[in-house]
Amino acid sequence: MTRPVIAIHGGCGVMAKLDLSGADWADARHGLGEALLAGWRTLNEGGSAVDAVEAAIVIMEDSPQFNAGHGAALNAGGIHELDASIMRGADLGAGAVTLVRRIRNPIRAARALLEQGSPVMLGGPEADNFAARSGLDMVEQSYFTTERRVASLASLKAKALEGTLKSASEAEKHGTVGAVALDIAGHLAAGTSTGGYNNKPEGRIGDSPIIGAGTYARDGVCAVSGTGAGEFFIRHAVGHEIASRIAYLGESLAAAAAYVIKSDLASYGIGAGIVAVDAQGNITAPFNTDGMFRGWIDADGNLFVGTHADVSSVLL
Ligand code: ASP
């Protein structure tokens, strides 16, 4: 029996340390802890890595703290268009939805596609219709909207007009949630869900629903979920690239992930981060921004959460 592990992220768009109030930190930490525990309980009850990833992501989609589900980013037209995917390492089964507007928990729709087997990906209104036919909870657009995202959209539009977009904070731009897990049967899984970035063009699809880019899992190698400038994750096929470095170069999980995030992607000056776990239960969570909401429960059952460079250990 494998000792299970789970790791999650709540996006690399964390506010600068000085701007993060005690209350913000407590809320974020609470959301991360709840998501980790939901996944961990699933694993300890003998649930699969896919079940654990879905359980953890649903909690973060339901929390207004994170850019996914309730609290998701708004596109340039003031609309929420959500992306999500999930992958099972055992057989490379995968499901993904993109540009969905009415599914309360897009990760559940991705899971339903995974279970159906084919197609791997559905987009737009037909993805919404698939979720409704599958009996998933459907909501109005207003369900996803929070004051913080409305303010971020207004601020980014103003900066775009002034030509000062580069000064926008990572928190205004980014978000995304993701989870990776190793279950007691030794299987890996990964999942990612996002509203994309604030003020993104209508119809823009990021890396989060792209298998091999924002999400990837392969038994015996690793499971990866990413956050950051999706266009670069797609071009570098980040999830698959990390798995390939491990499988073909024999690199450790930490070395492969650090290389891709801190060398390959950092060279563009864009924000990026991932969480990943390998078949031995090693966990890594590199990022090149000020911070990344993240947490994990290791094989000894120790829970850790962090926002910036420091990571706190919490006794379960
Ligand atoms: N990766 C997401 C996207 O490009 C955004 C983010 O994680 O900040 O849609």
Side-chain angles (χ1 to χ4, degrees), residues 129-300:
N129 292 341
F130 165 79
R133 280 200 308 279
S134 304
L136 300 183
D137 281 355
M138 306 303 287
V139 292
E140 298 296 321
Q141 276 273 300
S142 57
Y143 164 78
F144 301 116
T145 310
T146 56
E147 270 175 36
R148 181 172 153 207
R149 299 297 175 205
V150 172
S152 291
L153 181 64
S155 151
L156 286 173
K157 281 190 181 294
K159 286 190 170 109
L161 275 179
E162 287 163 6
T164 56
L165 208 50
K166 279 214 154 76
S167 70
S169 70
E170 295 290 341
E172 276 180 309
K173 289 185 286 194
H174 290 298
T176 291
V177 305
V180 292
L182 174 69
D183 64 29
I184 58 175
H187 297 308
L188 291 163
T192 311
S193 180
T194 190
Y197 62 88
N198 293 306
N199 207 24
K200 66 183 182 179
E202 293 171 67
R204 177 263 184 189
I205 299 170
D207 60 309
S208 305
I210 309 285
I211 297 299
T215 301
Y216 194 67
R218 189 178 195 120
D219 271 14
V221 186
C222 67
V224 180
S225 170
T227 169
E231 283 65 19
F232 295 85
F233 276 74
I234 295 171
R235 292 180 186 129
H236 278 264
V238 163
H240 190 266
E241 180 79 357
I242 292 171
S244 299
R245 295 188 72 91
I246 296 170
Y248 307 145
L249 295 179
E251 286 184 352
S252 69
L253 177 78
Y259 185 85
V260 173
I261 297 303
K262 299 197 169 170
S263 296
D264 278 349
L265 292 192
S267 65
Y268 300 101
I270 52 111
I274 57 132
V275 289
V277 58
D278 68 12
Q280 290 70 46
N282 296 304
I283 298 163
T284 193
F287 53 95
N288 63 20
T289 50
D290 259 4
M292 177 170 80
F293 288 123
R294 63 200 184 283
W296 55 87
I297 301 180
D298 66 16
D300 296 322

Side-chain angles (χ1 to χ4, degrees), residues 18-213:
L18 290 175
D19 298 340
L20 195 68
S21 70
D24 289 332
W25 161 232
D27 280 353
R29 181 178 153 127
H30 180 77
L32 292 169
E34 291 284 300
L36 279 171
L37 288 174
W40 179 243
R41 278 189 213 107
T42 304
L43 293 169
N44 278 299
E45 286 161 8
S48 70
V50 178
D51 291 335
V53 161
E54 180 181 347
I57 290 180
V58 163
I59 302 267
M60 292 188 283
E61 286 180 335
D62 287 347
S63 161
Q65 289 299 323
F66 307 108
N67 174 7
H70 177 52
L74 287 154
N75 71 15
I79 305 284
H80 301 278
E81 290 185 323
L82 312 179
D83 296 338
S85 67
I86 192 162
M87 186 166 192
R88 180 169 58 206
D91 60 354
L92 307 187
V97 292
T98 182
L99 302 175
V100 299
R101 296 183 175 199
R102 298 189 295 121
I103 309 170
R104 176 183 165 133
N105 293 108
I107 196 69
R108 289 209 195 282
R111 174 73 190 270
L113 274 175
L114 183 161
E115 295 303 335
Q116 184 175 284
S118 182
V120 165
M121 188 181 224
L122 279 177
E126 285 310 326
D128 283 317
N129 292 341
F130 165 79
R133 280 200 308 279
S134 304
L136 300 183
D137 281 355
M138 306 303 287
V139 292
E140 298 296 321
Q141 276 273 300
S142 57
Y143 164 78
F144 301 116
T145 310
T146 56
E147 270 175 36
R148 181 172 153 207
R149 299 297 175 205
V150 172
S152 291
L153 181 64
S155 151
L156 286 173
K157 281 190 181 294
K159 286 190 170 109
L161 275 179
E162 287 163 6
T164 56
L165 208 50
K166 279 214 154 76
S167 70
S169 70
E170 295 290 341
E172 276 180 309
K173 289 185 286 194
H174 290 298
T176 291
V177 305
V180 292
L182 174 69
D183 64 29
I184 58 175
H187 297 308
L188 291 163
T192 311
S193 180
T194 190
Y197 62 88
N198 293 306
N199 207 24
K200 66 183 182 179
E202 293 171 67
R204 177 263 184 189
I205 299 170
D207 60 309
S208 305
I210 309 285
I211 297 299

